[in-house]
Amino acid sequence: MLAGLVGVVSGLVVVPARAEPPAAFVVENGVTQPVHSLADAVRESVWVDIGLDLDTNGVGDRVAVDIIRPDTTERVPVIIDASPYYATSGRGNESERKSYDSAGLPLKFPLYYDNYFVPRGYAVALVDFSGTSRSTGCLDTGGRSEVASGKAVIDWLNNRATAYTAPSGGTSVPATWSTGAAAMIGKSWDGSVTQGVAATGVEGLRTIVPIAAISSWYDWFRADGVSFRGFGTPTSLASGFENTNARARCAAVRQDMTTGAPGNGDYTPMWQQRDYVRNAANVRAAVFSVNGRADLNVKPVNWGQWLAAVPASVPRKLWLSQTGHIDPFDFRRAEWVATLHRWFDRWLLDVQNGIDTEPQVSVERGVNQWTDTATWPPSGTTARTMHPVSGPVAGVGALSVTPGSPATSSFTDNGSGTPTSYISSPTVTSARRVVYSTAPLTADLRVAGISRLTVAATPSTSTAHLSAYLVDYGPATARSATGEGIRTLSTESCWGESRPGDDACYRDTEPTTATVDAQIIARGWADLANHASLTTPRPLTPGTKYTMTFRLSTTDWTVPAGHRLALVIAGNDSSMTTTPGQLPRVTVNLAETTIQIPLQGTPPRATATTADRSPTRIRPDITPGRLDN
């Protein structure tokens, strides 16, 4: 047990009755208690040398760290949120930004972490990414500078790096108040870098809490060879958040990103540097991952491939909501704060509260209806190969566990197809797509993991983009696309202690809902020119058959009994991906096309006929934004 725990009787920490500052933390009923005054908390700023000089000014790049910590003589652990947003778009549903008082000390700490956790014996450190706000150096969109921004702070907390009182010059500042135990938390870009730091294996990082986080930056900008529409490049993304120094001195970094992100969707060494999955075997920190099923900003493939790559020995927890790009504080607030509290107590203070032995997975099955599962992937999940089988209606057939007779089916990409148009009217022929469905399920069927489609396709032109969707056909009430699944209310609730310049109260939210007949549960995109390699595209020869395997997004979805599970294959997704140079007619060889789906349960063995009726109510997709904006 760490310093500050002075005695335990029947699960209660006993603090001596004397007029001294309280112990670093006090535990009652398995959780730390608010024994410190936030008004008396120590506030300070330091600049940590990250060991790089990307702005080439001859001085080591330093990141600004604004710290608030309890007024105690005991050492305390640290909760870190490193971000590019503190001086620009802000954090959270209310876009909070940092502010400073007349003495230059940090005043406003965005989000509730300081209000809630500092009184309970934690320090909170908010780090400006290099090249942003008050930091020096260069912003490199998920690259080594941003990873170093987080890692160097943890090294400083453990006496392995140096902090100073100023961005240049100044005197060194040791972290004598820190236990060295650190957590990193954050949503979107912030959460992405928590995974990059964890993948370094840095000592002292006890846990990370990535929320809607990118695990490979290629998979934010690209998908199996195709570029996402409206997502720009790493260079254009960084340009919105760079400070004056970075804009003046980081041209070489921007050029490297521009060169490394060709518009054709190739996977380059620049993308490899920003792929945290490839080093996930180094992770030692416990992982609490939170994600939205409907997130088309940070696509769900990111969390699935991350958890699959993290060593099985690493403790983990997973929350999956029906929302889009939303923080759990805004879709499940009370449960989230209580769970995060216990999680930090366990991994930063070694409080044996049992959270590490509870079910790992909590999934929102219906609106505000959550189901827990012991492990991820769920026990009994098996990768099942299913086959599209032609039926009596052209372009409409069965999704079967057994292959059908040799057959082909075709569609034409007109450049304007959307997921809604592709999955509508699944009982009739469409010129835009082909659809294959199971019979109505006789029992619930759980899809849990990353599906992979192997498609044998013959294009009529030299360019071809493909889209694929797993669809749950059947009536349901779901979170709607409005507000990415939430609506912000005028009422507030408070979480922790307020102090002048930093209140602990935030506007409440409620779900937005819609009644639907079809829901996309996983989707993927690909450029057929990358059928053999993501690093080197090959020109297509019209009339030649190519076989390509590509990923669909991670999901954990239960298709209820009575519903149908379907596979839809189509051309370009105009809502998400760039249009190919020439729009093709694509012929799918069904006998050589399969989809591997991670299933818990047994799909129907019988060949399906067409669905009983076409869905009329389809949930529209959420329009993705620029990361957390």
Side-chain angles (χ1 to χ4, degrees):
M1 195 64 74
L2 302 175
L5 183 57
V6 295
V8 179
V9 177
S10 299
L12 300 182
V13 174
V14 180
V15 180
R18 55 186 179 182
E20 292 184 1
F25 66 97
V26 173
V27 177
E28 293 180 5
N29 300 319
V31 292
T32 50
Q33 300 298 307
V35 297
H36 301 279
S37 167
L38 190 66
D40 296 335
V42 178
R43 292 176 288 128
E44 60 186 329
S45 298
V46 300
W47 282 261
V48 177
D49 191 319
I50 67 172
L52 299 171
D53 182 19
L54 294 188
D55 60 10
T56 63
N57 63 355
V59 179
D61 298 337
R62 297 180 184 179
V63 292
V65 186
D66 294 317
I67 300 163
I68 184 167
R69 52 187 174 87
D71 182 16
T72 177
T73 56
E74 301 288 348
R75 293 175 180 262
V76 297
V78 189
I79 299 166
I80 301 168
D81 188 342
S83 178
Y85 299 122
Y86 289 128
T88 51
S89 57
R91 305 309 299 123
N93 197 31
E94 298 177 30
S95 300
E96 292 186 320
R97 297 175 177 84
K98 287 182 179 179
S99 68
Y100 302 86
D101 64 19
S102 58
L105 294 175
L107 180 63
K108 175 65 176 178
F109 284 75
L111 304 177
Y112 61 95
Y113 303 141
D114 59 313
N115 309 94
Y116 189 85
F117 286 105
V118 172
R120 288 167 168 79
Y122 294 86
V124 171
L126 304 185
V127 182
D128 296 328
F129 278 179
S130 56
T132 72
S133 192
R134 300 198 301 164
S135 295
T136 63
C138 299
L139 186 62
D140 60 353
T141 311
R144 59 181 180 141
S145 180
E146 291 169 22
V147 173
S149 295
K151 180 179 182 296
V153 173
I154 297 168
D155 283 334
W156 170 62
L157 295 172
N158 287 274
N159 302 310
R160 298 189 300 265
T162 305
Y164 298 88
T165 56
S168 63
T171 58
S172 63
V173 184
T176 55
W177 47 267
S178 167
T179 63
M184 292 192 73
I185 188 172
K187 175 180 173 238
S188 199
W189 202 335
D190 306 14
S192 307
V193 171
T194 72
Q195 296 178 146
V197 175
T200 69
V202 60
E203 184 179 352
L205 181 59
R206 300 287 185 83
T207 185
I208 61 170
V209 185
I211 301 166
I214 300 163
S215 61
S216 171
W217 282 81
Y218 178 88
D219 291 313
W220 193 76
F221 289 97
R222 309 283 190 260
D224 288 292
V226 69
S227 298
F228 287 122
R229 182 187 301 274
F231 280 68
T233 67
T235 306
S236 64
L237 181 61
S239 67
F241 303 96
E242 291 176 314
N243 59 22
T244 301
N245 176 72
R247 284 192 292 270
R249 304 194 61 88
C250 296
V253 172
R254 289 191 293 272
Q255 184 58 52
D256 285 346
M257 290 193 293
T258 299
T259 302
N264 64 3
D266 286 359
Y267 185 85
T268 65
M270 192 278 300
W271 295 122
Q272 185 181 56
Q273 182 193 126
R274 291 158 175 80
D275 181 358
Y276 310 140
V277 176
R278 68 190 180 96
N279 291 319
N282 297 327
V283 174
R284 294 185 288 178
V287 177
F288 190 170
S289 179
V290 182
N291 308 275
R293 180 190 65 83
D295 193 345
L296 288 179
N297 185 326
V298 176
K299 277 68 68 178
V301 71
N302 279 276
W303 69 259
Q305 64 190 9
W306 171 255
L307 288 182
V310 168
S313 59
V314 170
R316 65 192 65 201
K317 201 166 185 67
L318 173 65
W319 273 22
L320 299 175
S321 76
Q322 287 192 3
T323 66
H325 199 63
I326 301 295
D327 192 292
F329 187 73
D330 295 313
F331 65 68
R332 201 186 184 192
R333 185 167 297 178
E335 295 87 346
W336 169 247
V337 174
T339 304
L340 187 64
H341 181 183
R342 295 177 64 225
W343 186 261
F344 282 157
D345 280 355
R346 173 65 184 90
W347 299 112
L348 294 182
L349 293 172
D350 198 29
V351 176
Q352 300 296 317
N353 54 27
I355 196 168
D356 50 323
T357 62
E358 294 174 356
Q360 291 180 356
V361 188
S362 192
V363 181
E364 187 181 22
R365 298 295 180 198
V367 178
N368 277 342
Q369 298 173 357
W370 293 80
T371 301
D372 293 342
T373 301
T375 60
W376 177 264
S379 177
T381 301
T382 303
R384 297 292 299 270
T385 299
M386 301 192 72
H387 306 262
V389 178
S390 63
V393 178
V396 178
L399 186 61
S400 174
V401 294
T402 56
S405 301
T408 62
S409 192
S410 300
F411 58 85
T412 299
D413 187 352
N414 67 2
S416 62
T418 64
T420 299
S421 67
Y422 289 147
I423 72 171
S424 64
S425 303
T427 64
V428 299
T429 300
S430 168
R432 296 185 174 189
R433 54 90 175 115
V434 293
V435 56
Y436 305 93
S437 169
T438 67
L441 302 181
T442 57
D444 292 354
L445 186 64
R446 185 174 181 178
V447 183
I450 298 175
S451 299
R452 289 173 169 82
L453 175 66
T454 298
V455 60
T458 302
S460 65
T461 61
S462 61
T463 59
H465 292 174
L466 299 174
S467 305
Y469 310 88
L470 281 178
V471 185
D472 175 355
Y473 283 110
T477 298
R479 287 185 185 258
S480 72
T482 303
E484 301 210 41
I486 66 166
R487 178 184 296 111
T488 304
L489 306 176
S490 59
T491 58
E492 287 189 333
S493 56
C494 303
W495 301 86
E497 183 181 337
S498 296
R499 60 176 177 79
D502 193 336
D503 74 86
C505 303
Y506 294 86
R507 293 175 69 183
D508 299 315
T509 69
E510 66 180 6
T512 58
T513 62
T515 302
V516 297
D517 293 314
Q519 298 182 77
I520 296 172
I521 65 175
R523 66 186 80 202
W525 310 266
D527 185 342
L528 194 58
N530 291 97
H531 62 277
S533 169
L534 283 183
T535 61
T536 308
R538 299 181 182 181
L540 302 176
T541 301
T544 300
K545 182 177 64 180
Y546 298 93
T547 301
M548 183 175 186
T549 298
F550 62 96
R551 305 160 298 164
L552 275 62
S553 52
T554 323
T555 193
D556 188 331
W557 185 267
T558 298
V559 183
H563 287 208
R564 297 171 183 265
L565 175 65
L567 168 66
V568 176
I569 304 174
N572 192 66
D573 177 352
S574 66
S575 69
M576 287 295 294
T577 54
T578 57
T579 306
Q582 294 177 297
L583 295 170
R585 179 173 176 80
V586 176
T587 300
V588 180
N589 185 307
L590 300 184
E592 299 176 34
T593 296
T594 60
I595 184 166
Q596 193 174 69
I597 309 175
L599 294 177
Q600 186 185 60
T602 303
R605 296 191 63 86
T607 299
T609 58
T610 57
D612 296 330
R613 67 185 181 93
S614 297
T616 57
R617 300 165 298 181
I618 298 174
R619 179 189 184 278
D621 284 330
I622 293 165
T623 301
R626 290 182 71 203
L627 274 185
D628 215 15
N629 298 314

